[in-house]
Amino acid sequence: MKTALKYIIPLVLIPITVILGACIFSEKSYSFVSMAVAIFSCLLFYFAYERKGKTRRLIIVSVMTAIAVIGRFIFAPIPAFKPVTAIVVLTAVYLGSSAGFLTGSFSALISNFYFGQGPWTPFQMLAWGIIGFLAGILRNKLKNRITLSLYGVFAGVLYSVILELWNVLWYSNSFDINLYLAFLLSSLPHTAIYAVSNVIFLMVMYKPIGSKLKRAEQRIFA
């Protein structure tokens, strides 16, 4: 049952919550949707691990989330050039998919108290959460610079794919495939910059942060 929930919560339940929230609830109800995503993220983390090491993992995830939030603040003046994705991916690679999802979703939620909460927040939580979750699933293949760089590019594209879905729903109050493709096309420069920044931050952080997360993971099971 726990194994099934590990995939149902991030890949089915949370996306449905976010999309229905955008389509059904009024714009001012985004806070309830964001809170629902946050609760589901916590449940995902809770069901993913046995009691041993859960508290230590949560502490490390909290630290990584804080680093991601601070990193987004520091690079705020540079559009599309943020370290959040890199931090989320590295967390997932060393601590697992559920830790990656929790770090990604809470990084968006917390940092948006500064950048501005809105109907886009649940989609950002979903985007960074899914990026972290998939990185955790592929963790054994992402422990070298080449595959990690490729995933950084993929993450940049995936983030845009999810966020442009919000733009379409906001603009037309329904899903229009032609409008969606137009939004994706117009966002290509932004997506390219974001993908490149992911690769740069991953390469810079891979060794210093990766080595610390590896030691932390070893201590959890010590």
Side-chain angles (χ1 to χ4, degrees), residues 82-129:
K82 305 291 184 291
V84 179
T85 295
I87 295 167
V88 170
V89 169
L90 289 174
T91 302
V93 167
Y94 289 95
L95 298 181
S97 56
S98 298
F101 194 100
L102 189 64
T103 302
S105 61
F106 272 81
S107 295
L109 179 63
I110 295 171
S111 61
N112 275 2
F113 281 104
Y114 172 80
F115 290 100
Q117 298 287 349
W120 54 86
T121 298
F123 284 84
Q124 289 179 319
M125 295 175 71
L126 174 63
W128 272 321

Side-chain angles (χ1 to χ4, degrees), residues 58-74 83-84 87-88 91 102-104 106-108 110-111:
L58 185 57
I59 293 172
I60 299 170
V61 167
S62 299
V63 172
M64 296 306 295
T65 301
I67 293 173
V69 171
I70 293 170
R72 194 180 180 196
F73 290 162
I74 293 173
V84 179
I87 295 167
V88 170
T91 302
L102 189 64
T103 302
F106 272 81
S107 295
I110 295 171
S111 61

Side-chain angles (χ1 to χ4, degrees), residues 3-164:
T3 302
L5 286 173
K6 179 181 177 181
Y7 293 95
I8 292 173
I9 291 175
L11 300 180
V12 179
L13 193 56
I14 292 178
I16 288 176
T17 300
V18 172
I19 293 173
L20 288 180
C23 295
I24 296 176
F25 298 116
S26 65
E27 189 171 301
K28 293 183 179 180
S29 300
Y30 66 85
S31 57
F32 294 103
V33 181
S34 298
M35 186 58 64
V37 176
I39 292 172
F40 287 141
S41 300
C42 291
L43 288 175
L44 172 64
F45 186 87
Y46 177 81
F47 288 126
Y49 303 111
E50 299 299 331
R51 185 173 298 275
K52 181 180 179 181
K54 186 180 294 184
T55 301
R56 293 182 181 179
R57 269 197 178 92
L58 185 57
I59 293 172
I60 299 170
V61 167
S62 299
V63 172
M64 296 306 295
T65 301
I67 293 173
V69 171
I70 293 170
R72 194 180 180 196
F73 290 162
I74 293 173
F75 287 90
I78 309 175
F81 198 85
K82 305 291 184 291
V84 179
T85 295
I87 295 167
V88 170
V89 169
L90 289 174
T91 302
V93 167
Y94 289 95
L95 298 181
S97 56
S98 298
F101 194 100
L102 189 64
T103 302
S105 61
F106 272 81
S107 295
L109 179 63
I110 295 171
S111 61
N112 275 2
F113 281 104
Y114 172 80
F115 290 100
Q117 298 287 349
W120 54 86
T121 298
F123 284 84
Q124 289 179 319
M125 295 175 71
L126 174 63
W128 272 321
I130 289 294
I131 286 169
F133 187 80
L134 294 178
I137 293 177
L138 300 171
R139 59 190 299 190
N140 292 329
K141 300 181 183 297
L142 297 180
K143 291 187 177 179
N144 66 77
R145 294 181 181 275
I146 296 176
T147 54
L148 202 58
S149 296
L150 292 174
Y151 190 83
V153 174
F154 167 75
V157 175
L158 180 59
Y159 184 86
S160 180
V161 166
I162 295 175
L163 264 295
E164 295 308 331

Side-chain angles (χ1 to χ4, degrees), residues 182-199:
F183 271 118
L184 287 175
L185 185 61
S186 65
S187 68
L188 280 178
H190 183 280
T191 302
I193 295 172
Y194 188 54
V196 170
S197 74
N198 290 343
V199 175

